[in-house]
Amino acid sequence: AKLILAIKSGRVDAVLDAVPLKKLHEAICGLIRAVFIPRPGNCFLIADFKQIEVRVIFWLAGCMIDLFWLKTKDLYVEFANAIFGETPPDHPEFEFRRAVGKVAILGCQFGMGAAAFMAFCLAFGIDLAARGIDPKKIVDAYRSRFKRVAALWRGYQGAALSAIKTN
């Protein structure tokens, strides 16, 4: 509510007081739903298709079966456990490790390499270097665990290059 009032005021200083500059883009993007107002007597149903990007990529790659074997129903946690070892939810590092797993899954599913992964993590406030974590090991772990996804993107890249070369 504070951010909405600040935006309506038209004052940049009020907006920056409501949200730090580092988080401003994310906060404003989160307000997109507020732009849409249902007609009187109607309401919007807002749903979150949990991890939908991952599920679509796995479907395209023909490895949806990998999702049925999840212990936690959370692929980000599962991948974090594969990287760091089993981490219970009450562990002090659980949220950090899940965040790394999430960023790895979301980035690597589109062919992201180690340098881009490191930058992607920093954009989410995750400093791998400060914790001595090698981004290449995480990217390699993704590509090893989800070989069909990596093959899917190589196939798409090959098809795109072929289309360009042959018109």
Side-chain angles (χ1 to χ4, degrees):
K2 184 178 178 183
L3 179 58
I4 292 171
L5 292 173
I7 291 170
K8 284 182 175 182
S9 78
R11 294 184 19 248
V12 173
D13 61 319
V15 172
L16 293 176
D17 283 342
V19 177
L21 184 59
K22 188 175 181 180
K23 297 282 186 181
L24 187 59
H25 180 265
E26 182 181 328
I28 290 175
C29 287
L31 293 175
I32 193 70
R33 288 182 182 155
V35 173
F36 298 96
I37 301 168
R39 291 185 178 143
N42 294 301
C43 65
F44 289 127
L45 175 63
I46 299 169
D48 182 0
F49 295 104
K50 298 283 184 193
Q51 302 175 359
I52 189 68
E53 305 93 342
V54 177
R55 295 172 198 290
V56 169
I57 294 296
F58 275 44
W59 178 76
L60 289 169
C63 56
M64 276 297 287
I65 193 73
D66 288 347
L67 297 178
F68 293 111
W69 301 107
L70 298 179
K71 288 187 233 172
T72 65
K73 304 290 187 236
D74 184 336
L75 186 59
Y76 306 146
V77 170
E78 295 286 332
F79 190 62
N81 287 342
I83 297 167
F84 300 108
E86 192 79 23
T87 308
D90 60 346
H91 189 282
E93 290 290 303
F94 178 82
E95 290 301 326
F96 170 80
R97 290 176 178 182
R98 183 187 184 278
V100 171
K102 178 178 182 174
V103 173
I105 292 288
L106 294 176
C108 292
Q109 71 181 344
F110 296 109
M112 183 178 284
F117 174 61
M118 178 77 102
F120 196 38
C121 282
L122 286 172
F124 281 89
I126 300 168
D127 190 348
L128 297 177
R131 298 208 181 203
I133 299 170
D134 182 359
K136 185 176 181 338
K137 286 184 179 179
I138 295 173
V139 170
D140 289 347
Y142 179 91
R143 292 177 181 173
S144 175
R145 172 70 179 88
F146 305 112
K147 289 179 174 78
R148 287 184 180 191
V149 175
L152 173 74
W153 289 107
R154 283 192 301 275
Y156 283 165
Q157 182 178 12
L161 290 173
S162 177
I164 291 168
K165 289 177 182 175
T166 63
N167 287 328

